[in-house]
């Protein structure tokens, strides 16, 4: 572990794209990069599952956060056991340490010892992006392989050209088996969460404005004795978008890049970000934020919610409200968690930003490595998730165990919804299916209809949907490999600077007035060039 962390730190500090371990990635299946695309009409023979093979493939991927402390390895998770049985392909699993996924991937790539399949966010987290990963020989370009051996995914993309546009690069390269949210309802699932029983006891409404939130958190501290009135998970990145992003948006900006009137902007360099820093610095100084907010992880947040130290957070309808409701009831049977709308400055405004995913979510995508022993077998296995049978399995698990068909409707069993080991539905579903998070499949709305077993969860989605996020969010753009390398180098430095700025100003080690000097530093680190690269990629995306 010490060697892993040391190596990870070294590679992180380098801040540039890794040296390629080979340049033969796109020929490992006997094809070239110039093969037919997924939209051609060539015949593709359907795979019969389970596949008859004695070969064993290797698979690298993170264990879902819902299962931390529940199961230590993939081999002990029923879903992954059954996936091998249903496809007929045996797998050898490797999982990166929790919270160290990016660092562990960098170390693995540098070693040149790659598994057959790698589950990762290539679009958002890979240095240089997916085209760079292909060009440097880490993963395969999948066009020919999908065209010839993945009839289920191929047909889905042919039938859904808008999604097809999202899952490939500007040059038309398919680089991973995608996670697809199959219904609009599934694309919003996260936002502010608050103790409604506390609000009622204190005679307070659900907060809407920043002023409301200040008043509410102050009351939680002073009248409920909350030691950490507002708390979020801050690892692996301090105050990541899933934490304070909900509040940054009230000031008209985000933590990253966004779109305004066709122009790409970077939130931390806009004046609204200073206003956000000022607010959170004040909140921290007044004891309204978790004092350990710079290092808080999932376990500490769960503990704060369960003990009553925290009365508000940002989380998912399932993994937030669904997981925390039984925890807070454990210490207070009258406890009720509900959604709050995304904050605004003035009552009646529509939030400019909020969590809303595109149909294609780049998390949970699975690429095939350039050194894969049998790329065709890997493709056939992964294509299972886009078949009718595979979609049922990924979303609901195994019939008779985790779900039963009732008048054609796949209904989760009590093993998941009223787990005998007292696991929350979010945890139990993650044991037997992947419907509640992501992976190489098409997510089914019927999972959410049951996953959100509580009325408060179903209400939450409706509350969080009321934003203008669609108008301002960037589509899944893909800079060229050359742009991506330059962009990754620039943004590694800028993101480090933004983290430093956010941490120091909010925790009070520097005054808010230092913000201007940080913006100047961003510009000296070539922020304008990074924006230019993003704008060029957006313009190309719009022409796909």
């Amino acid at each position: 572990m010490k060697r892993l962390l040391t190596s990870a730190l070294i590679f992180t500090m380098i801040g540039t794209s890794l040296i390629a371990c080979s340049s033969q990635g796109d020929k490992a299946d006997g094809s070239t990069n110039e093969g037919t695309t997924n939209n051609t009409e060539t015949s593709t023979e359907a795979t019969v599952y389970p596949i008859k093979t004695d070969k064993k493939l290797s698979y690298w991927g993170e264990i879902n956060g819902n299962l931390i402390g529940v199961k230590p390895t993939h081999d002990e998770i029923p879903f992954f056991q059954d996936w091998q049985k249903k496809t007929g392909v045996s797998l050898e699993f490797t999982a990166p340490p929790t919270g160290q996924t990016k660092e562990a991937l960098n170390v693995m790539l540098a070693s040149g010892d790659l598994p057959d399949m790698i589950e990762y966010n290539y679009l958002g987290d890979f240095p240089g992006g997916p085209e760079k990963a292909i060009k440097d020989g880490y993963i395969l370009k999948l066009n020919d392989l999908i065209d010839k051996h993945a009839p289920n995914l191929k047909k889905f993309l042919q039938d859904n050209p808008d999604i097809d546009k999202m899952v490939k690069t500007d040059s038309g390269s398919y680089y991973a088996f995608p996670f697809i949210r199959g219904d609009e309802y599934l694309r919003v699932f996260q936002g502010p969460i608050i103790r409604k029983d506390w609000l009622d006891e204190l005679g307070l409404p659900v907060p809407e404005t920043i002023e409301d939130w200040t008043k509410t958190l102050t009351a939680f501290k002073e009248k409920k004795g909350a030691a950490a009135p507002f708390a979020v998970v801050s690892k692996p990145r301090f105050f990541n978008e899933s934490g304070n992003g909900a509040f940054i948006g009230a000031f008209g900006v985000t933590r990253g890049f966004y779109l305004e009137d066709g122009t790409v902007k970077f939130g931390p360099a806009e004046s609204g970000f200073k206003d956000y820093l000022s607010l959170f610095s004040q909140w921290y100084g007044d004891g309204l934020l978790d004092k350990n907010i710079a290092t808080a992880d999932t376990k500490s947040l769960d503990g704060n919610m369960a003990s009553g130290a925290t009365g508000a957070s940002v989380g998912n309808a399932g993994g937030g409200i669904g997981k925390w409701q039984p925890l807070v009831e454990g210490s207070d049977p009258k406890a009720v968690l509900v959604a709050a709308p995304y904050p605004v400055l003035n009552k009646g405004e529509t939030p400019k930003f909020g969590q809303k995913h595109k149909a294609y979510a780049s998390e949970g995508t699975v690429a095939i490595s350039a050194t894969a022993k049998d790329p065709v077998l890997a493709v056939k296995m992964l294509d299972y998730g886009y078949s009718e049978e595979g979609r049922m399995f990924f979303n609901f698990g195994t019939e008779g165990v985790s779900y039963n068909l009732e008048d054609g409707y796949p209904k989760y069993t009590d093993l998941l919804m009223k787990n005998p080991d007292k696991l929350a539905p979010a945890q139990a579903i993650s044991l037997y299916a992947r419907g509640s998070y992501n992976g190489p499949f098409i997510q089914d709305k019927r999972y959410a209809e049951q996953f959100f077993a509580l009325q408060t969860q179903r209400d939450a989605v409706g509350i969080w949907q009321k934003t203008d996020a669609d108008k301002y969010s960037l589509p899944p753009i893909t800079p060229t490999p050359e742009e991506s390398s330059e962009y990754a180098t620039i943004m590694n430095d800028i993101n480090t600077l933004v983290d430093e700025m956010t941490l120091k100003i909010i925790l009070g080690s520097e005054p808010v007035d230092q913000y201007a000097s940080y913006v100047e530093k961003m510009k000296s680190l070539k922020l304008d060039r990074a924006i230019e690269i993003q704008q060029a990629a957006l313009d190309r995306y719009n022409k796909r």
Side-chain angles (χ1 to χ4, degrees):
M1 178 62 73
K2 288 182 179 178
R3 287 197 299 271
L4 173 64
L5 294 176
T6 301
S7 301
L9 179 61
I10 291 170
F11 280 96
T12 301
M13 291 176 65
I14 288 173
T16 57
S17 56
L18 295 165
I19 299 172
C21 61
S22 82
S23 59
Q24 303 173 18
D26 25 339
K27 299 185 181 181
D29 68 331
S31 65
T32 70
N33 270 354
E34 305 305 319
T36 52
T37 67
N38 197 1
N39 287 323
T40 60
E41 294 299 324
T42 57
S43 61
T44 307
E45 185 177 346
T47 300
V48 177
Y49 300 100
I51 300 167
K52 297 185 184 303
T53 179
D54 294 328
K55 293 184 178 179
K56 188 171 190 175
L57 301 180
S58 51
Y59 189 101
W60 187 96
E62 189 175 19
I63 291 177
N64 180 255
N66 287 330
L67 297 180
I68 294 173
V70 179
K71 294 292 183 183
T73 66
H74 287 88
D75 291 315
E76 296 180 50
I77 298 171
F79 170 84
F80 291 101
Q81 297 169 353
D82 292 342
W83 189 25
Q84 296 173 76
K85 295 174 185 175
K86 290 180 180 294
T87 60
V89 182
S90 297
L91 298 175
E92 179 182 350
F93 293 100
T94 303
T98 302
Q100 298 287 332
T101 303
K102 188 179 294 187
E103 294 85 352
L105 180 82
N106 287 346
V107 172
M108 181 177 71
L109 294 180
S111 75
D113 184 14
L114 306 182
D116 297 305
M117 292 172 277
I118 306 172
E119 181 179 322
Y120 195 67
N121 183 351
Y122 294 89
L123 193 60
D125 294 336
F126 193 91
E131 282 284 12
K132 179 71 171 172
I134 294 171
K135 181 180 178 182
D136 285 353
Y138 293 125
I139 65 174
L140 296 179
K141 178 176 177 177
L142 298 175
N143 294 46
D144 284 350
L145 286 162
I146 290 174
D147 187 61
K148 296 173 183 175
H149 306 292
N152 299 306
L153 177 58
K154 177 180 175 179
K155 183 178 188 307
F156 176 82
L157 295 178
Q158 287 176 339
D159 292 344
N160 296 274
D162 289 346
I163 296 176
D164 179 62
K165 179 179 177 179
M166 296 180 185
V167 303
K168 58 189 176 186
T169 65
D170 291 326
S171 66
S173 298
Y174 297 99
Y175 55 90
F177 280 75
F179 172 54
I180 306 296
R181 301 189 189 282
D183 190 277
E184 184 78 16
Y185 182 81
L186 296 165
R187 297 169 195 170
V188 173
F189 50 82
Q190 184 184 87
I193 296 170
I194 197 162
R195 285 283 296 265
K196 181 66 162 59
D197 56 308
W198 286 8
L199 294 175
D200 292 344
E201 181 183 333
L202 298 169
L204 296 170
V206 174
E208 297 179 31
T209 66
I210 292 297
E211 185 179 349
D212 293 342
W213 273 97
T214 302
K215 180 180 179 181
T216 298
L217 295 177
T218 301
F220 283 1
K221 176 193 173 188
E222 295 178 350
K223 298 180 180 180
K224 293 302 299 179
F230 178 83
V232 291
V233 172
S234 297
K235 285 187 172 183
R237 169 172 231 150
F238 174 68
F239 263 38
N240 59 24
E241 189 64 19
S242 67
N244 64 356
F247 291 84
I248 295 175
F251 301 98
V253 299
T254 67
R255 169 59 179 77
F257 291 92
Y258 63 97
L259 187 62
E260 191 149 34
D261 298 325
T263 301
V264 175
K265 293 188 175 183
F266 184 61
E270 300 292 323
S271 60
F273 201 83
K274 179 182 179 181
D275 297 331
Y276 145 73
L277 290 174
S278 179
L279 173 74
F280 267 63
S281 177
Q282 176 191 329
W283 280 5
Y284 188 82
D286 292 344
L288 305 186
L289 304 183
D290 178 9
K291 65 181 180 181
N292 299 313
I293 203 158
T295 56
D297 57 16
T298 301
K299 186 177 180 180
S300 66
L301 177 56
D302 290 349
N304 278 340
M305 295 297 293
S307 68
T310 292
S313 185
V314 176
N316 294 351
I321 294 176
K323 180 170 70 169
W324 294 332
Q325 183 61 46
L327 294 181
V328 295
E329 285 179 5
S331 57
D332 184 351
K334 296 180 181 179
V336 177
L337 291 170
V338 299
Y342 277 87
V344 292
L345 290 182
N346 303 301
K347 190 174 177 65
E349 291 178 342
T350 298
K352 183 175 179 179
F353 297 103
Q355 178 274 320
K356 185 170 186 180
H357 276 52
K358 303 293 185 183
Y360 167 53
S362 55
E363 305 92 345
T365 58
V366 182
I368 297 173
S369 75
T371 58
K373 297 183 291 293
D374 191 335
V376 171
L377 181 61
V379 165
K380 289 181 175 180
M381 179 188 187
L382 292 171
D383 192 47
Y384 177 73
Y386 308 90
S387 67
E388 286 302 317
E389 179 186 324
R391 288 168 71 168
M392 289 290 287
F393 171 65
F394 268 83
N395 282 282
F396 306 107
T398 300
E399 186 175 3
V401 178
S402 54
Y403 80 95
N404 291 312
L405 281 177
E406 296 185 5
D407 295 326
Y409 189 97
K411 186 173 182 180
Y412 287 131
T413 63
D414 286 350
L415 178 64
L416 275 57
M417 305 310 293
K418 299 177 182 178
N419 185 262
D421 295 323
K422 306 301 182 184
L423 295 177
Q427 296 170 303
I429 292 174
S430 297
L431 275 179
Y432 293 92
R434 291 192 71 162
S436 60
Y437 55 112
N438 53 44
F441 72 105
I442 303 163
Q443 196 176 37
D444 192 313
K445 179 183 178 181
R446 294 173 296 181
Y447 120 78
E449 292 170 346
Q450 300 171 79
F451 183 40
F452 302 152
L454 304 173
Q455 187 61 45
T456 50
Q457 292 174 290
R458 294 188 287 272
D459 291 343
V461 174
I463 291 169
W464 295 332
Q465 282 177 335
K466 296 173 182 176
T467 72
D468 284 333
D470 268 339
K471 192 185 301 183
Y472 298 102
S473 62
L474 288 170
I477 56 177
T478 54
T480 66
E482 293 73 24
E483 288 174 339
S484 291
S485 295
E486 182 183 4
Y487 174 82
T489 301
I490 293 171
M491 290 312 300
N492 182 70
D493 292 338
I494 288 176
N495 283 326
T496 299
L497 181 66
V498 171
D499 286 348
E500 176 189 339
M501 170 183 74
T502 306
L503 182 66
K504 287 184 175 180
I505 292 177
I506 289 178
L507 300 188
S509 59
E510 285 189 358
V512 176
D513 290 343
Q514 284 295 107
Y515 171 77
S517 68
Y518 278 104
V519 174
E520 288 304 312
K521 288 179 184 176
M522 289 182 220
K523 291 181 178 178
S524 71
L525 293 172
K526 301 183 179 179
L527 173 61
D528 289 343
R529 174 56 182 157
I531 293 174
E532 184 180 292
I533 290 171
Q534 290 286 82
Q535 186 71 51
L538 175 65
D539 294 342
R540 288 194 302 271
Y541 179 89
N542 290 333
K543 294 176 182 177
R544 287 183 189 175

